[in-house]
Amino acid sequence: MKIRNRLFHAGWVIILLGALLAHFIQTSGGITIRDLRFNGENGQVLSGLLYVPPGVSAENKAPAILAVHGYFNSRETQDGFAIEFARRGYVVLALDQGGHGYSDAPAFANGFGGPGGLAYLRSLDFVDTDNIGLEGHSMGGWTVLAAAAAMPDGYKAIVLEGSSTGAPFAKEGDTTWPRNLAVVFSKFDEFSGFMWGVERAQDMPESAKLQTAFGVTEPVVVGQVYGSIEDGTARILHQPNTTHPGDHFSTEAIGDAIAWFDQTLEGAQPIPPGDQIWLWKEIGTLIALIGFVVLLAGAFDMLLRSQAFAHLRKEPAGTAYAKRSGKWWLHFALATLIPVLTYYPFFYWATLVFPASAILPQSFTSQVALWAVLNGLIIFALGFVFKGDKVEGRGDIWGSVLIALATVGIGYIAVIATDFLFKVDFRFWVVALKPLDLVRTKIALVYLVPFTVYFVLALRGLHTGLSVRTDSRLAQYLSNVAVMIVGFILFMGLQYLTLLFTGHLFSANEPLNTVIGMQFVPLLAIVAFLSTFAWRRTGSYLPGAFINALFVTWYIVSSQAIQFAVS
């Protein structure tokens, strides 16, 4: 028992170590971080993290930057930019766009929240309002452009990271608007056609829209300053060697933003753009995320040893296959590939069947939910086609529900405590887990239903349909993880190898869903680990199914935009 409880304690220790590392990095040099709620346009309540450098006051004002994330992200996604800007003496407001994070829904309304964010930043008595910069990634670029359009004299320079001027969501750029513009558009950005009208991001210098904004008729020269900083007409193009989501994780992309504000704003400390420490914060939150998974496993095992849940503990009763035969491999191939082959069509069907509404207000979550339920039914049907040895794996339904609630509840306490004490979430890059507010808690209760159906069907198929008698413990974990993620790994490999060699994705018309698909690999690996852990201790697929339904619903709802206003 002591050995098993060590897993529970290890989870807490790992979380603490990761959270401390992340906290000390984001507050290095005396930076303070404030969690804000304030009123934007039309009474919309906006959320943000305010990074304040040491020594800043009404008597010692500092330059400031409004930094905004892209679609389906939140304020913490900008931490690389925010940390590095704050280290250099800028006050930074990392804003949750409207309908994202903790800002009021819906998304896309009120200039995405940009005008309200800039107005709030300008209202702070310790901000030098003559030296304000705007920085936004992807849809965050349109957010700061909305702010620039609402207050054309309220800022001095702007950086668009993986974003664009003009249609569909911003005012067209020209030689005078926006002021002192830097376009940082990576060489392998997946959205070049949608944003700048060029098939390949490498062809950005030839974009007619970009040339209009730069006031030229020939290809734009990367790294060359056009116009005048003093007159507010300066323009520059940078093309870091990364992808659209990679902008958040690129020292080059972040360095380009730092360098532009160094040139256009006054009052910052002269720290070279290449001197960056933000990656250590990402490592810290990754460690905390790993600790969270360890904690869930340890909490489940500890609860299972208690008197209340001891009746759930038993060995799995049999396996579906004696060995990995040709039939098993065909079953495996279908189970891992069908979810990928149905990814785009099922998502498209969801946009037709389940538009954003008061009941289902998150468009992307609805897409994932429909994809999940239909794939759960397909996996269930495969069990009748590939009939192996009969394996009984249902177990006690209500006991499974209760232990799942207790397990995930302990994990939720860890996330809330870490947020309260250290102001960090559990994340790595765009994979992130954070506390739910009241609105998203209500939304999660609705989406929990389809995700529960999916995990019951899918994990029933995994554990009673693809188990192999000769597997060791390690082989069983690896096999189950492979079933869940190999299809998506192949899918992502095809997409990004095509991008590498041709300059565009294999599915060139699906950049958004392709980018989002990256998260399925780590998420489904965690699902497979947790469900296998529970299966090996209970001989039932239900505890793992309910744990993962709670966890995944929480994960998706907390990170997705709300397209329909709810309260």
Side-chain angles (χ1 to χ4, degrees), residues 165-371:
T165 57
F169 295 114
K171 178 181 173 181
E172 293 292 340
D174 56 31
T175 55
T176 61
W177 189 90
R179 295 170 57 86
N180 292 330
L181 167 66
V183 176
V184 182
F185 205 83
S186 64
K187 292 179 182 177
F188 298 99
D189 195 293
E190 298 89 335
F191 294 85
S192 58
F194 178 69
M195 292 185 174
W196 290 103
V198 290
E199 182 180 355
R200 304 185 313 155
Q202 293 97 316
D203 297 329
M204 268 289 292
E206 300 173 13
S207 164
K209 183 194 284 191
L210 185 74
Q211 290 173 6
T212 298
F214 279 52
V216 298
T217 55
E218 68 279 352
V220 173
V221 177
V222 176
Q224 177 178 317
V225 177
Y226 294 78
S228 165
I229 292 175
E230 183 179 352
D231 295 338
T233 60
R235 271 94 179 92
I236 193 169
L237 170 66
H238 290 292
Q239 291 213 269
N241 194 34
T242 186
T243 63
H244 184 82
D247 290 337
H248 292 296
F249 222 71
S250 166
T251 55
E252 188 180 359
I254 294 173
D256 289 336
I258 293 168
W260 187 242
F261 289 133
D262 281 349
Q263 289 178 260
T264 55
L265 303 181
E266 299 174 2
Q269 299 175 18
I271 300 175
D275 181 349
Q276 300 178 27
I277 65 171
W278 60 268
L279 181 58
W280 287 103
K281 191 263 183 181
E282 288 288 324
I283 292 172
T285 52
L286 171 61
I287 292 170
L289 180 59
I290 293 170
F292 171 81
V293 177
V294 172
L295 177 64
L296 287 187
F300 178 80
D301 196 65
M302 183 180 69
L303 290 166
L304 199 60
R305 291 173 175 274
S306 69
Q307 184 176 358
F309 297 109
H311 67 285
L312 297 176
R313 194 174 192 96
K314 67 178 182 178
E315 295 291 325
T319 57
Y321 291 89
K323 62 179 182 178
R324 282 186 172 76
S325 60
K327 181 181 177 182
W328 185 92
W329 283 107
L330 178 59
H331 193 174
F332 168 85
L334 292 174
T336 197
L337 292 176
I338 287 175
V340 170
L341 295 174
T342 59
Y343 181 68
Y344 291 140
F346 286 0
F347 271 41
Y348 175 69
W349 292 358
T351 63
L352 302 178
V353 178
F354 298 118
S357 64
I359 298 175
L360 301 172
Q362 293 186 319
S363 297
F364 178 74
T365 308
S366 298
Q367 290 175 305
V368 179
L370 181 64
W371 168 88

Side-chain angles (χ1 to χ4, degrees), residues 46-49 66-79 81-82 93-103 107 112-114 135-144 161-163 244 248 427 429-430 434 440 558-562:
L46 297 172
S47 159
L49 294 176
L66 174 64
V68 189
H69 62 84
Y71 201 26
F72 298 154
N73 293 138
S74 64
R75 59 194 188 177
E76 292 85 0
T77 315
Q78 286 291 99
D79 58 10
F81 293 93
L93 175 57
L95 180 72
D96 273 333
Q97 284 186 46
H100 293 71
Y102 301 123
S103 289
F112 309 93
E135 181 273 327
H137 177 260
S138 193
M139 199 163 95
W142 301 326
T143 305
V144 295
E161 291 267 355
S163 191
H244 184 82
H248 292 296
R427 75 165 47 240
W429 197 8
V430 294
K434 59 189 298 179
R440 289 175 184 268
S558 68
S559 64
Q560 293 308 308
I562 302 173

Side-chain angles (χ1 to χ4, degrees), residues 121-132:
L121 193 60
R122 290 183 59 83
S123 73
L124 299 174
D125 62 3
F126 49 82
V127 165
D128 178 0
T129 55
D130 292 327
N131 282 284
I132 291 180

Side-chain angles (χ1 to χ4, degrees), residues 248-498:
H248 292 296
F249 222 71
S250 166
T251 55
E252 188 180 359
I254 294 173
D256 289 336
I258 293 168
W260 187 242
F261 289 133
D262 281 349
Q263 289 178 260
T264 55
L265 303 181
E266 299 174 2
Q269 299 175 18
I271 300 175
D275 181 349
Q276 300 178 27
I277 65 171
W278 60 268
L279 181 58
W280 287 103
K281 191 263 183 181
E282 288 288 324
I283 292 172
T285 52
L286 171 61
I287 292 170
L289 180 59
I290 293 170
F292 171 81
V293 177
V294 172
L295 177 64
L296 287 187
F300 178 80
D301 196 65
M302 183 180 69
L303 290 166
L304 199 60
R305 291 173 175 274
S306 69
Q307 184 176 358
F309 297 109
H311 67 285
L312 297 176
R313 194 174 192 96
K314 67 178 182 178
E315 295 291 325
T319 57
Y321 291 89
K323 62 179 182 178
R324 282 186 172 76
S325 60
K327 181 181 177 182
W328 185 92
W329 283 107
L330 178 59
H331 193 174
F332 168 85
L334 292 174
T336 197
L337 292 176
I338 287 175
V340 170
L341 295 174
T342 59
Y343 181 68
Y344 291 140
F346 286 0
F347 271 41
Y348 175 69
W349 292 358
T351 63
L352 302 178
V353 178
F354 298 118
S357 64
I359 298 175
L360 301 172
Q362 293 186 319
S363 297
F364 178 74
T365 308
S366 298
Q367 290 175 305
V368 179
L370 181 64
W371 168 88
V373 169
L374 293 179
N375 271 281
L377 293 171
I378 292 170
I379 293 169
F380 181 72
L382 285 177
F384 293 98
V385 177
F386 294 90
K387 285 188 177 180
D389 296 337
K390 185 176 180 180
V391 181
E392 178 57 48
R394 193 178 74 172
D396 178 0
I397 295 177
W398 292 112
S400 298
V401 169
L402 291 174
I403 197 171
L405 287 169
T407 299
V408 178
I410 290 171
Y412 196 79
I413 290 171
V415 173
I416 291 177
T418 304
D419 175 74
F420 178 78
L421 295 172
F422 306 111
K423 199 45 60 185
V424 296
D425 56 3
F426 294 175
R427 75 165 47 240
F428 187 71
W429 197 8
V430 294
V431 176
L433 190 65
K434 59 189 298 179
L436 296 163
D437 60 11
L438 181 59
V439 169
R440 289 175 184 268
T441 300
K442 294 176 183 177
I443 292 171
L445 292 174
V446 176
Y447 285 110
L448 180 61
V449 175
F451 285 121
T452 299
V453 172
Y454 166 69
F455 282 113
V456 168
L457 295 175
L459 296 182
R460 176 187 181 276
L462 179 67
H463 296 300
T464 69
L466 279 161
S467 53
V468 178
R469 186 179 308 151
T470 57
D471 274 356
S472 65
R473 177 172 60 181
L474 178 60
Q476 188 177 40
Y477 276 104
L478 292 178
S479 177
N480 289 342
V481 169
V483 172
M484 300 298 284
I485 72 171
V486 163
F488 276 98
I489 290 175
L490 294 174
F491 170 67
M492 286 298 154
L494 175 63
Q495 297 288 351
Y496 282 91
L497 284 173
T498 303

Side-chain angles (χ1 to χ4, degrees), residues 34 36-39 50 93 115-124 127 151:
R34 305 176 188 176
L36 304 175
R37 303 292 186 275
F38 56 91
N39 289 324
L50 188 71
L93 175 57
L118 179 55
Y120 179 82
L121 193 60
R122 290 183 59 83
S123 73
L124 299 174
V127 165
M151 285 173 269

